Amino acid sequence: MPPPIQDRTNEFRSCVDSIRSRSSLTRGGADSKQRLLRNAKTTAKTEFASMASAIGKDINGTNIKLGKLAQLAKRKTLFDDRPVEISELTFIIKQDIANFNKQIASLQSYVKQRSAQGSKSPEAKQLEEHNNNVVMLLQSMLANTSMTFKDVLELRTQNMKESRNRTEQFMYSTSTATAQAAASSSMLYNSRPDPMGDGSPSRYDSKGKGRAPQNGDVLALDLDSAEAGIPGTQNGGAFQQMQLVEQQDSYIQSRSTAIESIETTIAELGQIFTQLATMVAEQRETVQRIDADTMDIASNVSGAQRELLKYYASISSNRWLMLKVFGVLIVFFLVFILVS
Amino acid sequence: MKILSISVLQAPSSGASSLLSSANDLSSFSFYQRGSVGEFVTFFSKTVAERTQPGQRQSVQENNYTAHVFNRGELAAVLITDQEYPVRPAFSLLAKVLDDFVAKVPQDSWNNPSSISFPELATYLSNYQDPRQADGIMRVQQELDETKIVLHKTIESVLQRGERLDTLVDRSTHLSTQSKMFYKTTRKQNSCCVVM
């Protein structure tokens, strides 16, 4: 959380006074300093500065509210959940953020207007730069607030889902159990506090009841109202509310299941892609082998062709060889004819 | 699976509701039935909107039509469809219609229904006749399924490619040994028959 915006001009002035009283040697310089200070004291805050400080204070207040909302959303209790408060707070914060957007936009247009009509003196330029910087600072603070808000909302939905799961474990099916087992679930509501009386914390209750010492007043109130109230109507009332919430939730639930199925489909697609990649990578080896083999074949065949050419050359240019061959043939002819 | 009508009503928590804007698609009925069907549709929408509490979504069945109602504070939107239409996109359509209505039509004309012109209802009606195309989530799911089919085909063809590559490898090793023997033979011939 950024440090809260404070107006420390009084501190500043007291510092300057003390320093001035200490350095009483240079009177002339002190005089000019004094004059500067008096001017600073007497000039009223410019309109821009007042607007900007108002926005800053509001953003600060909203940050505090956001902190409270974060605190509320972090609670993981089963029955101490305060949805009304949380949704109210969420709504208020959303409205505030929208307001800030508008205010900062108007501030920005104001600054632009000022810079359009302002003179070109160096002071006015500095002032303009300062104004722009302040506007940017406010915008960044607003952006931070919205980011924290979004995180808190995510945390809240997560916790809601978890608590919804735990609730379903108690009341196994929300729609059928509400229809049939009205009595049994109201007994569940009633019997919940009993484990606490034994002193042995039950698994699901420990989170809710464990906080009893912390904010015992609120929790005790809920327990008392649940126990001491008229069993039938009290739990019937809480039950109908559950039913109403269930009906509203079924649309949201179906949406979330649809989106979850989309998520699983995308994950499957990712798996398929990785499988595809592995298969192609395996085949890369094979392709490399084929490549090496073809190179071998090419070199072998070219070598063989060279040898054949050499042979042909030696044969075709070797008259001596031809003479030798014919000579041997004629000798054999003569030998066979003479013999026979 | 089709939508019969979409309507936006003003549904105060007590008292009668008033129809602010509606769009019908009665083309599946014969020409002479359309009048009565249109009246039935308006009556149904009004009744159902009156009986829904603010901030609540409901689906009511009647004969073989289903009405999906979404009451959000001042306004309620009713969607009358046949029984096959999926529930979730129906409600998301209703929420969209309400948002659009609140954005486009100024609040002071809500007490004067005849002055409201909201032609987007008709475009919504025609677009959402096939929810698989119009609803974002369903469209994404459909595209993902198509992509999955394409990927399965791709994997099959990659497997075939693998088989072909295997035969290629075998043939190329065979060729390689043969060409090596060829080379050796010619070399032998060159070197050993120098006598001749």
Side-chain angles (χ1 to χ4, degrees), chain A residues 285-326:
Chain A
E285 264 188 56
T286 320
V287 167
Q288 280 175 344
R289 256 170 52 190
I290 294 178
D291 201 22
D293 271 341
T294 35
M295 306 281 278
D296 284 343
I297 290 173
S299 64
N300 281 344
V301 165
S302 61
Q305 194 203 13
R306 233 181 322 129
E307 299 289 332
L308 279 181
L309 278 176
K310 270 198 286 189
Y311 186 65
Y312 177 64
S314 71
I315 290 226
S316 58
S317 61
N318 211 349
R319 297 181 187 279
W320 177 241
L321 189 60
M322 195 174 54
L323 276 178
K324 259 208 303 196
V325 164
F326 273 130

Side-chain angles (χ1 to χ4, degrees), chain A residues 244 247-248 251 254-255 258-259 261-262 265-266 268-269 272-273 275-276 279-280 283 286-287 289-290 293 296-297 300-301 303-304 306-308 310-311 321 324-325, chain B residues 53 55-57 88 91-92 137 140-141 144-145 147-148 151-152 154-155 158-159 161-162 165-166 168-169 172-173 175-176 179-180 182-183 186-187 189-190 195-196:
Chain A
L244 200 62
Q247 258 180 344
Q248 288 189 2
Y251 167 62
S254 61
R255 252 174 103 92
I259 294 187
S261 66
I262 287 186
T265 318
I266 293 186
E268 276 174 28
L269 274 181
I272 293 181
F273 270 115
Q275 268 182 5
L276 201 60
M279 279 164 57
V280 172
Q283 290 173 355
T286 320
V287 167
R289 256 170 52 190
I290 294 178
D293 271 341
D296 284 343
I297 290 173
N300 281 344
V301 165
R306 233 181 322 129
E307 299 289 332
L308 279 181
K310 270 198 286 189
Y311 186 65
L321 189 60
K324 259 208 303 196
V325 164
Chain B
Q53 297 172 2
Q56 207 191 355
R57 295 182 172 93
R88 192 199 44 76
F91 283 124
S92 55
I137 296 183
V140 167
Q141 182 74 28
L144 283 178
D145 289 335
T147 313
K148 224 169 38 159
L151 273 182
H152 280 176
T154 314
I155 287 199
V158 166
L159 279 173
R161 175 175 177 262
L165 276 178
D166 281 338
L168 260 182
V169 154
S172 68
T173 42
L175 251 185
S176 154
S179 68
K180 223 177 3 179
F182 179 33
Y183 181 52
T186 53
R187 242 199 357 213
Q189 189 160 53
N190 247 354
V195 176
M196 283 289 291

Side-chain angles (χ1 to χ4, degrees), chain A residues 62-73:
Chain A
T62 310
N63 277 339
I64 296 180
K65 277 187 225 156
L66 197 59
K68 250 194 276 174
L69 180 67
Q71 190 75 354
L72 276 178

Side-chain angles (χ1 to χ4, degrees), chain B residues 17-37:
Chain B
S17 56
S18 56
L19 184 67
L20 291 181
S21 169
S22 80
N24 296 347
D25 176 17
L26 304 175
S27 47
S28 59
F29 301 102
S30 76
F31 181 70
Y32 299 101
Q33 285 182 340
R34 279 181 205 172
S36 55
V37 169

Side-chain angles (χ1 to χ4, degrees), chain A residues 25-239:
Chain A
L25 304 170
T26 59
R27 286 308 306 176
D31 276 342
S32 61
K33 278 189 210 150
Q34 245 179 351
R35 236 174 291 135
L36 206 60
L37 268 185
R38 242 180 261 124
N39 281 341
K41 272 192 204 160
T42 50
T43 45
K45 268 185 169 182
T46 63
E47 198 179 314
F48 173 78
S50 55
M51 280 165 69
S53 68
I55 294 183
K57 265 189 231 155
D58 287 337
I59 291 188
N60 212 24
T62 310
N63 277 339
I64 296 180
K65 277 187 225 156
L66 197 59
K68 250 194 276 174
L69 180 67
Q71 190 75 354
L72 276 178
K74 267 194 234 161
R75 307 166 70 133
K76 291 194 173 195
T77 71
L78 200 44
F79 302 108
D80 200 16
D81 207 17
R82 291 188 269 198
V84 177
E85 217 177 283
I86 292 186
S87 51
E88 264 183 27
L89 210 51
T90 321
F91 184 60
I92 291 178
I93 291 184
K94 224 191 291 194
Q95 264 187 339
D96 284 342
I97 291 187
N99 255 349
F100 292 149
N101 254 340
K102 273 190 237 155
Q103 280 176 353
I104 291 187
S106 68
L107 194 66
Q108 217 171 12
S109 57
Y110 176 73
V111 163
K112 276 204 197 108
Q113 199 189 27
R114 279 281 290 271
S115 67
Q117 49 166 255
S119 61
K120 291 295 184 180
S121 69
E123 301 167 346
K125 277 213 182 116
Q126 231 181 22
L127 191 63
E128 195 184 313
E129 212 180 298
H130 169 70
N131 291 351
N132 283 338
N133 286 342
V134 167
V135 167
M136 237 181 291
L137 173 69
L138 287 174
Q139 275 173 345
S140 64
M141 281 175 69
L142 183 65
N144 274 344
T145 315
S146 341
M147 290 300 297
T148 358
F149 186 48
K150 185 177 70 112
D151 289 339
V152 165
L153 282 180
E154 276 175 14
L155 179 65
R156 164 93 178 127
T157 41
Q158 246 182 3
N159 284 346
M160 265 185 79
K161 227 203 265 187
E162 280 177 32
S163 75
R164 172 72 48 212
N165 281 343
R166 294 206 290 272
T167 316
E168 269 178 21
Q169 283 178 9
F170 290 152
M171 324 221 300
Y172 59 100
S173 142
T174 45
S175 48
T176 56
T178 50
Q180 311 159 2
S184 65
S185 53
S186 62
M187 292 242 288
L188 266 175
Y189 264 117
N190 256 340
S191 66
R192 275 299 121 205
D194 285 340
M196 164 87 155
D198 290 342
S200 55
S202 80
R203 228 175 84 224
Y204 298 113
D205 276 350
S206 56
K207 290 206 179 114
K209 305 319 184 228
R211 289 178 188 253
Q214 273 186 24
N215 32 18
D217 46 351
V218 179
L219 202 50
L221 210 55
D222 278 349
L223 279 183
D224 284 345
S225 66
E227 287 183 36
I230 311 167
T233 51
Q234 181 73 17
N235 288 324
F239 203 51

